[in-house]
């Protein structure tokens, strides 16, 4: 399961070892100042659209990089039945404009990020 932690100045995303081949990272750190917006997603699988480099298990899992036709690059770690977050960035961080992540504690992370960004 993807682990997301909110620290004083950064958002840390850690991927399980088996997913690292597809997302091409073990961990991604995003400065909190770079976060433009955060949205709760009931169905994070549907949020990843465009050309992909990664793994798709139809209707179950999406892992990797998705690039929309408008050029937005998404880092995706989404699983069916697990709530998620869309984290929109002000500028590219680690090569991405957005993160689409399935996390069990999505509501709590959303609350933390909202509190920190105020």
């Amino acid at each position: 399961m993807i682990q997301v932690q909110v620290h004083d100045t950064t958002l840390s995303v850690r991927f399980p070892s088996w997913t690292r081949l597809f997302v091409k990272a073990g961990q991604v750190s995003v400065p909190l100042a770079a976060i433009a917006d955060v949205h709760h997603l009931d169905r994070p699988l549907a949020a990843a659209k465009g050309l992909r480099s990664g793994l798709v298990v139809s209707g179950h899992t999406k892992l990797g990089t998705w690039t929309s036709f408008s050029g937005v690059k998404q880092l995706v770690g989404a699983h069916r039945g697990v709530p998620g977050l869309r984290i929109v960035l002000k500028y590219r961080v680690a090569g991405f404009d957005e993160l689409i992540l399935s996390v069990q504690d999505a509501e709590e992370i959303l609350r933390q990020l909202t509190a920190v960004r105020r």
Side-chain angles (χ1 to χ4, degrees):
M1 186 59 50
I2 297 169
Q3 296 176 348
V4 177
Q5 293 181 321
V6 180
H7 303 287
D8 291 338
T9 60
T10 60
L11 174 75
S12 174
V13 181
R14 182 174 294 243
F15 294 94
S17 58
W18 72 271
T19 66
R20 294 175 186 177
L21 175 66
F22 305 108
V23 296
K24 298 184 173 103
Q27 181 172 336
V28 174
S29 293
V30 175
L32 295 178
I35 298 175
D37 209 354
V38 182
H39 305 277
H40 181 269
L41 300 172
D42 290 325
R43 296 178 45 224
L45 283 174
K49 297 181 179 171
L51 303 173
R52 70 172 154 80
S53 170
L55 172 72
V56 173
V57 178
S58 187
H60 188 271
T61 301
K62 290 183 179 179
L63 294 167
T65 301
W66 267 249
T67 305
S68 73
F69 296 110
S70 63
V72 174
K73 281 187 91 170
Q74 299 174 321
L75 176 61
V76 178
H79 306 284
R80 180 182 63 204
V82 181
L85 297 171
R86 176 194 303 267
I87 301 168
V88 180
L89 305 176
K90 294 176 185 174
Y91 50 86
R92 271 200 181 166
V93 175
F96 301 102
D97 301 301
E98 293 184 2
L99 295 101
I100 306 293
L101 304 170
S102 286
V103 288
Q104 290 292 346
D105 52 350
E107 287 292 333
E108 175 59 27
I109 294 167
L110 177 62
R111 226 178 348 269
Q112 289 176 13
L113 289 173
T114 303
V116 170
R117 289 179 44 237
R118 289 182 187 193

